Amino acid sequence: MKRKVLKLFYAASFTMLAVILVSCNSGNTTKKGSKLLAYDAQIDTIIAQMTLEEKIAMLHGKHMFTSAGIERFGIADMVYADGPFGIREEMEPHSWRSLQLATDSATFFPTGSALAATWSEEMAYKYGTGMAREARLRGKDMILGPAINIQRIPTGGRTYEYLSEDPFLSARLSVGYTKGVQDNGVAVCLKHYALNNQENNRGRVNVLVSPRTMREIYLPPFQAAVEEADAYGVMAAYNKVNGYWCSENDMLQNKILRDEWGFAGMIISDWGGVHSTVAAALNGLDVEMPGQRYFGQALIDSVNSGAVPVSVIDAKVRNILRVRLAIEPVPANEANKIMTAQPEQAQIAYEVASKSIVLLKNDEAVLPIDLNKNKNIVIIGDNAIRTMALGGVGAGVKALYEITPLEGLKNRIGNKANIEFIEGYVKPKFVWGQFKSPYTDPDPELLAAAVDAAKKADLVIFMAGNNREVETEGSDRFSIELPYGQDSLIAAIAAVNPNIATVVVAGAPVDLRVVNSNSKALVYAWFNGTEGGNALADILLGNISPSGKLPYTLPIKLEDSPAYAMGNYPQTDSPISEDIFVALVDEHKAESLKEDKSNKDIAIYSEEMLVGYRWFDTKGEAVMYPFGHGLSYTQFDYKNLKTNKQTYKENESIKVSVDVSNTGSHNADEVIQLYVRRINAKVEWPLKELKAFERVSINAGETKTVELNFDVKNLRYWDEESYDWLLENGEIELMVGSSSSNILLTQKVNI
Ligand code: BGC
């Protein structure tokens, strides 16, 4: 890719400044057919009767998770809930302390990367349905999710919450999730808009990104959820983009989100993410959460002084009321009457988990576990008994229950084999504000006990991975090494018993070099929710054939990944991140969060579009396991790639069909993937890009014709000169396969 990036940043910032000067608030010029527009006449009548104070009371937090309605008109408060992977427990109105209710235990859904590993919009829809049902039981109007930022760095603290490194996969799942939630009477809040791709320094960092990269890599999940699923809410991220805080970013909020995409709903700040009154008010933010430092009295004063026109305030009230009128409030006396977690949701959580687990390798067909041959099984590793619903900083779920891997295996194996559990390594206790590196040597006593037990076993299941304290909001990992000396531990175990199946429990990529070479089978099992342990046991025992596919690349080592290889991340060597969130819970620390002008506040995205597999493919760099990879217990044969035409026009769809046969002996799902490569293109492109995928269930011996369709307009690029989407005509190659690196059939067509 050309290194014209910096020039572009300055050009972009200059253009933005110019644009701001000519138009202060281009607010509500919604072009598209949002359902929210149906209420505007009614809303005008309400607004005409409101006082300025009543209007401003709606534009900031009332409690930690509510903003005010208008009592005089019987308009209920807006009630928010974290999101994104379960309805967060009830907290005191003005603190983060739990209310300790008896009815607010919720279903813990598999976290974002697990959902993404299903490669299924249908699963995302069900997931959204389940989230909405539980939100309604708790009286919530808006779920603070889905979390859909692109996984730019493998170390990102919230990688487990986010979906994928690929914008198309993220977009499809965002659409499914959003429709599932909103079809069931609750609003989504897409977060964090936009380019919140790192946790370190998230409250100060200024992301410098070229317009094309922003449009093609980072914005598509938001755009799709707004344009295709009519998302009602968006959360402005903590960081800056090209010089402007997201919560006062005219380009992101007014120009792109509202004017271009037709967003008609409400934009709320991330918690504590507002930095000004006038700039935030003029540049698109509707609600400051959770306090009223900028959008309380200061906003009233700004209106009275003429700095903020009343029409801008009215537009914000309108945005909120559209959502408020579209979402039927749950009467306070009906909320929290029965337990939040309900069996139908546990079933959804199970289904997602069972389709998300990825079989990375399976030498000597060690999986599924043959219980006739393996009578003595030892399960080694703290993650066998560790729950993942809570931990670290940020939103978690007070889960009604969570089946751990050990419980799942015991549930499913019963008395068909002897199961012994050995800790191997342990997770030290987490203490707020005290940083302790998890990258330690193994504990010698625990290691010796593990080696002893492994010697006597027929099969070792090594439960590796991270936990919710290692992967956490507010800070990125500074290594992708497995914590607590797991590499040395598995090497010692393998020396006495090579029959090892390793299960990695993690939301984000880890360095697999040591475990991969010491394990016959390797499985990625995610932070997989309430039913995670049962789903894992069903996969390991072959009750279900694995069908999850990696939503991101597993690099060989951290330094290979694009932002690291380009020297764009980390911006500082310090392993400790001073997080903006700290200011919300610890006033004394707030002082340290003032803007710092040093280089560590700048994140340069000069790898441009080469994020994830786009980088590794284009550079011809080896990876540990590629994007889209995932094995099965059966084999699939791909044949007969056909297209409906040979030459396509811009307004047409490319229809591809492939015959996929299950030639093995297990019924199974497969995810068929279609990538596009441009031949002799003049515009610069990554080597190939995902454009369609389809999950299908195929019984043993059966063949299915699978259709993979996409619109030609999805091949356009963002042209920075004409500031528009353009199509480049020419020849392209359609590449169909079972992962980004296992392409099985190709065909060239013309555009
Ligand atoms: C997080 C958001 C979350 C909010 C409320 C913030 O720190 O970034 O994702 O929704 O807190 O809990």
Side-chain angles (χ1 to χ4, degrees), residues 200-241:
N200 279 2
N201 204 17
R202 65 177 166 161
R204 288 202 300 235
V205 72
N206 179 15
V207 171
L208 297 186
V209 62
S210 73
R212 183 174 174 203
T213 301
M214 176 165 87
R215 297 289 186 148
E216 293 185 37
I217 302 294
Y218 295 98
L219 297 189
F222 293 93
Q223 182 172 7
V226 169
E227 292 188 336
E228 294 180 49
D230 199 12
Y232 291 173
V234 168
M235 184 188 288
Y238 281 133
N239 48 285
K240 288 181 183 173
V241 172

Side-chain angles (χ1 to χ4, degrees), residues 322-598:
R322 284 172 176 166
V323 180
R324 181 63 285 174
L325 296 180
I327 299 294
E328 199 185 319
V330 180
N333 60 358
E334 284 176 23
N336 262 312
K337 287 292 170 253
I338 63 166
M339 186 61 83
T340 312
Q342 290 293 319
E344 327 145 75
Q345 272 72 257
Q347 181 54 37
I348 296 172
Y350 171 80
E351 219 183 308
V352 171
S354 66
K355 291 183 195 301
S356 75
I357 294 167
V358 183
L359 180 62
L360 294 173
K361 86 172 207 184
N362 194 16
D363 291 352
E364 300 166 36
V366 71
L367 294 177
I369 300 168
D370 182 344
L371 292 177
N372 296 318
K373 283 203 221 134
N374 297 292
K375 285 291 171 205
N376 294 301
I377 301 174
V378 63
I379 300 171
I380 300 176
D382 179 74
N383 273 349
I385 55 163
R386 183 68 39 208
T387 54
M388 302 294 178
L390 289 167
V393 175
V397 186
K398 179 178 151 192
L400 181 62
Y401 70 91
E402 179 181 344
I403 306 286
T404 63
L406 183 63
E407 286 164 349
L409 283 160
K410 283 186 171 167
N411 286 346
R412 298 300 199 248
I413 292 176
N415 57 11
K416 286 181 241 148
N418 302 316
I419 299 177
E420 186 184 3
F421 167 68
I422 299 281
E423 281 171 321
Y425 62 90
V426 280
K427 176 183 82 91
K429 211 173 148 18
F430 172 76
V431 185
W432 248 102
Q434 270 182 32
F435 177 78
K436 204 164 173 293
S437 172
Y439 305 107
T440 56
D441 287 335
D443 177 304
E445 270 175 41
L446 295 180
L447 182 137
V451 168
D452 250 16
K455 274 185 200 155
K456 294 173 255 161
D458 300 317
L459 173 71
V460 176
I461 301 179
F462 185 63
M463 294 299 308
N466 296 327
N467 54 49
R468 289 285 311 285
E469 259 112 65
V470 174
E471 293 186 36
T472 175
E473 184 179 322
S475 55
D476 300 321
R477 286 177 297 156
F478 64 94
S479 165
I480 58 169
E481 196 186 307
L482 285 163
Y484 322 124
Q486 291 177 42
D487 281 350
S488 310
L489 178 61
I490 193 173
I493 294 166
V496 300
N497 187 345
N499 211 30
I500 302 178
T502 292
V503 176
V504 179
V505 176
V510 296
D511 184 328
L512 291 173
R513 281 175 291 182
V514 176
V515 283
N516 191 57
S517 58
N518 284 294
S519 311
K520 286 188 180 166
L522 194 53
V523 169
Y524 231 74
W526 314 112
F527 296 151
N528 232 341
T530 278
E531 283 285 332
N534 285 335
L536 176 64
D538 281 334
I539 295 284
L540 295 180
L541 295 165
N543 301 334
I544 301 175
S545 188
S547 62
K549 300 273 185 175
L550 288 176
Y552 48 62
T553 307
L554 288 170
I556 294 175
K557 53 186 193 309
L558 180 57
E559 300 73 47
D560 297 345
S561 52
Y564 283 82
M566 298 280 299
N568 291 335
Y569 187 92
Q571 293 96 27
T572 154
D573 292 336
S574 168
I576 304 166
S577 154
E578 279 173 347
D579 188 47
I580 183 169
F581 185 81
V582 169
L584 288 176
V585 288
D586 181 347
E587 282 172 21
H588 306 293
K589 291 242 171 99
E591 233 355 69
S592 69
L593 297 170
K594 289 204 179 124
E595 195 175 353
D596 176 343
K597 298 273 179 235
S598 67

Side-chain angles (χ1 to χ4, degrees), residues 64-65 81-84 88 91 96 144-145 147 158 161-162 191-192 196 199 202 235 238 268-272 393-395 473 579-581 584:
M64 198 59 99
F65 284 94
D82 274 313
R88 192 174 188 173
M91 277 164 280
W96 298 87
L144 304 178
R158 299 182 87 168
E161 279 186 80
Y162 297 145
K191 69 187 190 186
H192 309 85
N196 179 184
E199 287 302 288
R202 65 177 166 161
M235 184 188 288
Y238 281 133
I268 70 174
S269 74
D270 199 344
W271 268 229
V393 175
E473 184 179 322
D579 188 47
I580 183 169
F581 185 81
L584 288 176

